[in-house]
Amino acid sequence: MGSLSIWHWLIVLLVVVLIFGTKKLRNIGSDLGGAVKGFKEGMKEGDDTAKPQDTRTIEGEAKEK
C-alpha cells in the first residue's frame, strides 16, 4: 500500500483535466503565479522599510559625569 506509481498520477491528472478543462487550469496557474510574485514583492518592500534610512554619523566628544 506504499506510494502511488506514475500511472496512478497520470490517471489523476487526466481526470482533473477532464473535470476542469485546460483553460480553467491555465487561469488557476497564472493566478497562483501572480499571487506568489506579489507576495515576494511585498516581502522585499517590507525589508526595505525595516532598514534605517538615515545613516549619517554624528561626531563629537562625550563628557564624563
Side-chain angles (χ1 to χ4, degrees):
M1 288 200 79
S3 65
L4 298 175
S5 70
I6 187 69
W7 294 109
H8 291 110
W9 288 114
L10 288 175
I11 291 170
V12 169
L13 179 64
L14 179 67
V15 169
V16 168
V17 168
L18 288 174
I19 290 173
F20 293 108
T22 56
K23 186 175 181 180
K24 179 87 170 176
L25 291 175
R26 191 174 333 135
N27 289 341
I28 291 172
S30 64
D31 290 343
L32 182 62
V36 170
K37 185 177 180 181
F39 178 76
K40 286 181 179 179
E41 289 175 359
M43 292 299 291
K44 286 181 183 177
E45 288 176 4
D47 289 344
D48 291 342
T49 58
K51 293 179 184 176
Q53 298 296 327
D54 192 11
T55 57
R56 293 181 287 170
T57 304
I58 300 174
E59 294 184 21
E61 296 180 18
K63 296 182 182 179
E64 290 185 34
K65 286 187 175 183

